[in-house]
Protein backbone atom coordinates (compact mmCIF):
# COMPACT_ATOMS: atom_id res chain seq x y z
CA UNK A 1 0.00 0.00 0.00
CA UNK A 2 1.31 3.47 -0.89
CA UNK A 3 1.80 5.94 1.99
CA UNK A 4 -1.06 8.01 0.53
CA UNK A 5 -3.23 4.87 0.26
CA UNK A 6 -3.60 5.40 -3.48
CA UNK A 7 -3.61 2.66 -6.08
CA UNK A 8 -0.39 2.38 -8.10
CA UNK A 9 -2.07 3.99 -11.12
CA UNK A 10 -3.91 6.69 -9.16
CA UNK A 11 -3.08 10.39 -9.31
CA UNK A 12 -3.20 12.68 -6.32
CA UNK A 13 -6.16 15.07 -6.20
CA UNK A 14 -5.47 17.76 -8.82
CA UNK A 15 -7.11 21.18 -9.01
CA UNK A 16 -6.69 24.49 -10.85
CA UNK A 17 -7.93 27.77 -9.38
CA UNK A 18 -7.82 30.45 -12.06
CA UNK A 19 -7.57 34.21 -11.77
CA UNK A 20 -6.03 34.23 -8.31
CA UNK A 21 -3.83 37.27 -8.98
CA UNK A 22 -5.53 40.58 -9.68
CA UNK A 23 -2.83 42.15 -11.82
CA UNK A 24 -1.51 39.23 -13.88
CA UNK A 25 -2.83 38.67 -17.40
CA UNK A 26 -3.19 34.99 -16.49
CA UNK A 27 -2.82 33.18 -13.18
CA UNK A 28 -3.50 29.82 -11.59
CA UNK A 29 -3.05 28.09 -8.26
CA UNK A 30 -2.37 24.47 -9.15
CA UNK A 31 -2.49 21.70 -6.56
CA UNK A 32 -1.14 18.18 -6.94
CA UNK A 33 -2.17 16.82 -3.54
CA UNK A 34 -0.13 18.73 -0.97
CA UNK A 35 2.12 20.32 -3.62
CA UNK A 36 0.81 23.81 -4.33
CA UNK A 37 2.26 26.14 -6.98
CA UNK A 38 1.19 29.70 -7.77
CA UNK A 39 1.60 30.45 -11.48
CA UNK A 40 1.42 33.91 -13.07
CA UNK A 41 1.62 34.82 -16.77
CA UNK A 42 2.87 38.30 -17.62
CA UNK A 43 2.58 39.89 -21.07
CA UNK A 44 5.35 42.26 -22.09
CA UNK A 45 5.65 44.32 -25.27
CA UNK A 46 9.32 43.49 -25.57
CA UNK A 47 11.58 40.68 -26.68
CA UNK A 48 15.08 39.42 -25.93
CA UNK A 49 17.50 41.37 -28.16
CA UNK A 50 18.35 38.31 -30.24
CA UNK A 51 14.69 37.88 -31.25
CA UNK A 52 13.92 41.44 -32.33
CA UNK A 53 12.80 41.90 -35.91
CA UNK A 54 12.05 38.22 -36.51
CA UNK A 55 8.27 38.63 -36.42
CA UNK A 56 7.62 36.13 -33.65
CA UNK A 57 7.15 36.12 -29.92
CA UNK A 58 8.65 34.24 -27.01
CA UNK A 59 7.52 32.33 -23.93
CA UNK A 60 9.91 31.95 -21.02
CA UNK A 61 9.63 30.89 -17.39
CA UNK A 62 11.04 31.46 -13.94
CA UNK A 63 10.70 29.09 -10.98
CA UNK A 64 11.25 29.49 -7.28
CA UNK A 65 10.45 27.89 -3.96
CA UNK A 66 9.31 29.90 -0.95
CA UNK A 67 11.51 29.45 2.13
CA UNK A 68 8.93 27.43 4.10
CA UNK A 69 7.56 25.41 1.22
CA UNK A 70 9.55 22.50 2.67
CA UNK A 71 9.95 20.90 6.11
CA UNK A 72 12.89 23.14 6.92
CA UNK A 73 13.47 26.70 5.78
CA UNK A 74 15.18 26.98 2.43
CA UNK A 75 17.43 29.99 1.94
CA UNK A 76 16.13 32.46 -0.64
CA UNK A 77 18.27 32.17 -3.76
CA UNK A 78 18.39 35.95 -4.15
CA UNK A 79 20.62 36.04 -1.05
CA UNK A 80 23.02 33.67 -2.79
CA UNK A 81 23.27 35.99 -5.77
CA UNK A 82 22.13 33.51 -8.41
CA UNK A 83 19.62 30.69 -8.93
CA UNK A 84 20.76 27.15 -8.17
CA UNK A 85 21.42 24.65 -10.92
CA UNK A 86 18.18 22.85 -10.01
CA UNK A 87 16.18 26.05 -10.32
CA UNK A 88 17.69 26.89 -13.70
CA UNK A 89 16.99 23.37 -14.96
CA UNK A 90 13.33 23.51 -13.91
CA UNK A 91 12.59 26.95 -15.30
CA UNK A 92 14.15 26.02 -18.63
CA UNK A 93 12.03 22.86 -18.67
CA UNK A 94 8.85 24.89 -18.13
CA UNK A 95 9.74 27.35 -20.87
CA UNK A 96 10.64 24.64 -23.38
CA UNK A 97 7.48 22.70 -22.61
CA UNK A 98 5.24 25.70 -23.29
CA UNK A 99 7.03 26.81 -26.44
CA UNK A 100 6.39 23.44 -28.07
CA UNK A 101 2.64 24.06 -28.13
CA UNK A 102 2.51 27.82 -28.89
CA UNK A 103 2.49 29.29 -32.41
CA UNK A 104 5.09 31.96 -31.66
CA UNK A 105 4.59 33.78 -34.96
CA UNK A 106 0.92 34.40 -34.16
CA UNK A 107 1.93 35.83 -30.79
CA UNK A 108 3.60 38.78 -32.50
CA UNK A 109 6.72 40.45 -31.18
CA UNK A 110 5.77 40.04 -27.55
CA UNK A 111 7.05 38.01 -24.62
CA UNK A 112 5.05 36.10 -22.05
CA UNK A 113 6.89 35.27 -18.82
CA UNK A 114 5.54 32.47 -16.65
CA UNK A 115 6.42 32.72 -12.96
CA UNK A 116 6.02 29.51 -10.95
CA UNK A 117 6.37 29.91 -7.19
CA UNK A 118 6.13 26.82 -5.00
CA UNK A 119 4.05 27.63 -1.93
CA UNK A 120 4.13 24.10 -0.51
CA UNK A 121 6.22 21.16 -1.70
CA UNK A 122 5.37 17.48 -1.42
CA UNK A 123 7.05 16.07 -4.52
CA UNK A 124 6.35 16.85 -8.15
CA UNK A 125 6.86 20.62 -8.02
CA UNK A 126 8.16 20.72 -11.60
CA UNK A 127 5.35 18.57 -12.98
CA UNK A 128 2.72 20.69 -11.21
CA UNK A 129 4.44 23.83 -12.50
CA UNK A 130 4.38 22.71 -16.14
CA UNK A 131 0.76 21.59 -15.89
CA UNK A 132 -0.48 24.73 -14.15
CA UNK A 133 1.61 26.95 -16.44
CA UNK A 134 -0.46 25.81 -19.43
CA UNK A 135 -3.63 27.08 -17.71
CA UNK A 136 -2.10 30.46 -16.84
CA UNK A 137 -0.69 30.79 -20.37
CA UNK A 138 -4.07 29.94 -21.89
CA UNK A 139 -5.74 32.66 -19.82
CA UNK A 140 -3.08 35.21 -20.76
CA UNK A 141 -3.64 34.46 -24.45
CA UNK A 142 -7.41 34.64 -23.95
CA UNK A 143 -6.89 38.05 -22.29
CA UNK A 144 -4.99 39.21 -25.38
CA UNK A 145 -7.65 37.89 -27.75
CA UNK A 146 -10.43 39.63 -25.82
CA UNK A 147 -8.61 42.94 -26.37
CA UNK A 148 -8.04 42.41 -30.08
CA UNK A 149 -4.30 41.94 -29.75
CA UNK A 150 -4.43 38.54 -31.46
CA UNK A 151 -7.24 37.09 -33.62
CA UNK A 152 -7.19 33.61 -32.09
CA UNK A 153 -5.58 31.81 -29.15
CA UNK A 154 -2.32 30.47 -30.66
CA UNK A 155 -2.17 27.19 -28.74
CA UNK A 156 -1.61 24.10 -30.87
CA UNK A 157 -2.20 21.62 -28.03
CA UNK A 158 -2.18 21.07 -24.30
CA UNK A 159 0.98 20.17 -22.44
CA UNK A 160 1.21 18.53 -19.01
CA UNK A 161 3.73 16.67 -16.88
CA UNK A 162 3.66 13.83 -14.39
CA UNK A 163 6.16 11.72 -12.49
CA UNK A 164 6.39 7.95 -12.39
CA UNK A 165 8.74 5.74 -10.47
CA UNK A 166 9.64 2.31 -9.21
CA UNK A 167 9.07 2.15 -5.46
CA UNK A 168 9.52 -1.13 -3.58
CA UNK A 169 9.70 -2.86 -6.95
CA UNK A 170 6.32 -1.48 -8.08
CA UNK A 171 5.72 1.05 -10.89
CA UNK A 172 3.74 3.98 -9.46
CA UNK A 173 2.16 7.13 -10.85
CA UNK A 174 2.55 10.70 -9.51
CA UNK A 175 5.02 10.29 -6.67
CA UNK A 176 4.69 12.41 -3.56
CA UNK A 177 7.74 13.21 -1.44
CA UNK A 178 7.53 10.08 0.73
CA UNK A 179 7.79 7.92 -2.40
CA UNK A 180 10.10 10.12 -4.42
CA UNK A 181 12.68 10.16 -1.63
CA UNK A 182 12.93 6.35 -1.64
CA UNK A 183 12.24 5.54 -5.30
CA UNK A 184 14.59 3.17 -7.08
CA UNK A 185 13.75 4.94 -10.34
CA UNK A 186 12.12 8.32 -10.97
CA UNK A 187 11.03 9.64 -14.38
CA UNK A 188 9.33 12.94 -15.19
CA UNK A 189 7.25 12.77 -18.37
CA UNK A 190 6.27 15.95 -20.22
CA UNK A 191 3.75 15.20 -22.97
CA UNK A 192 1.23 16.93 -25.20
CA UNK A 193 -2.48 16.25 -25.30
CA UNK A 194 -1.96 14.38 -28.57
CA UNK A 195 0.51 12.06 -26.84
CA UNK A 196 3.73 13.54 -28.20
CA UNK A 197 6.83 13.60 -26.01
CA UNK A 198 8.32 16.94 -25.03
CA UNK A 199 10.86 15.75 -22.47
CA UNK A 200 11.69 12.74 -20.34
CA UNK A 201 13.91 13.12 -17.27
CA UNK A 202 14.74 9.74 -15.79
CA UNK A 203 17.20 8.45 -13.23
CA UNK A 204 17.90 5.07 -11.65
CA UNK A 205 18.87 5.72 -8.04
CA UNK A 206 19.84 2.18 -7.00
CA UNK A 207 19.52 -0.41 -9.75
CA UNK A 208 19.13 0.15 -13.51
CA UNK A 209 15.53 -0.12 -14.67
CA UNK A 210 14.54 -2.57 -17.37
CA UNK A 211 12.78 -1.94 -20.66
CA UNK A 212 9.76 -3.72 -19.20
CA UNK A 213 9.73 -1.39 -16.20
CA UNK A 214 10.08 1.63 -18.46
CA UNK A 215 7.13 0.41 -20.51
CA UNK A 216 5.06 0.08 -17.34
CA UNK A 217 5.95 3.62 -16.27
CA UNK A 218 5.19 4.95 -19.73
CA UNK A 219 1.76 3.34 -19.57
CA UNK A 220 1.12 4.99 -16.22
CA UNK A 221 2.37 8.34 -17.53
CA UNK A 222 0.03 8.22 -20.52
CA UNK A 223 -2.89 7.60 -18.17
CA UNK A 224 -1.83 10.44 -15.89
CA UNK A 225 -1.24 12.92 -18.72
CA UNK A 226 -4.62 12.08 -20.22
CA UNK A 227 -6.26 12.84 -16.88
CA UNK A 228 -4.35 16.10 -16.47
CA UNK A 229 -5.22 17.28 -19.99
CA UNK A 230 -8.89 16.54 -19.34
CA UNK A 231 -8.72 18.61 -16.16
CA UNK A 232 -6.97 21.47 -17.98
CA UNK A 233 -9.70 21.50 -20.62
CA UNK A 234 -12.42 21.47 -17.98
CA UNK A 235 -10.71 24.31 -16.11
CA UNK A 236 -10.60 26.68 -19.09
CA UNK A 237 -13.90 25.62 -20.71
Amino acid sequence: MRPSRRAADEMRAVSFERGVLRHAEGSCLVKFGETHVLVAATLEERLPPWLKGQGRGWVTAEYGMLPRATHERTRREVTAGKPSGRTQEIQRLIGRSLRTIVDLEKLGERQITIDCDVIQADGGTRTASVTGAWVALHDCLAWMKARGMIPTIPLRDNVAAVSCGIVEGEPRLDLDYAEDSQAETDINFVMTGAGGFVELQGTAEKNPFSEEEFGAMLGLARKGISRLVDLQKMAVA
Side-chain angles (χ1 to χ4, degrees), residues 18 36 57 65 67 90 116 127 138 156 159-160 164 177-178 187 212:
R18 299 162 64 204
H36 303 170
M65 189 174 293
I90 294 174
C116 299
T127 56
H138 172 279
R156 293 190 288 253
V159 68
C164 295
Y177 179 76
I187 303 180
E212 180 182 1

Side-chain angles (χ1 to χ4, degrees), residues 121-187:
D122 186 34
T125 62
R126 74 185 68 195
T127 56
S129 295
V130 170
T131 307
W134 184 91
V135 175
L137 175 62
H138 172 279
D139 284 359
C140 178
L141 295 170
W143 184 94
M144 295 171 65
K145 179 178 179 293
R147 287 157 180 77
M149 301 172 72
I150 50 177
T152 59
I153 295 177
L155 286 174
R156 293 190 288 253
D157 203 344
N158 292 64
V159 68
V162 73
S163 66
C164 295
I166 306 293
V167 184
E168 297 178 348
E170 178 184 51
R172 296 179 183 177
L173 174 64
D174 188 24
L175 307 184
D176 55 26
Y177 179 76
E179 294 176 315
D180 184 58
S181 61
Q182 61 173 328
E184 295 110 65
T185 296
D186 181 17
I187 303 180

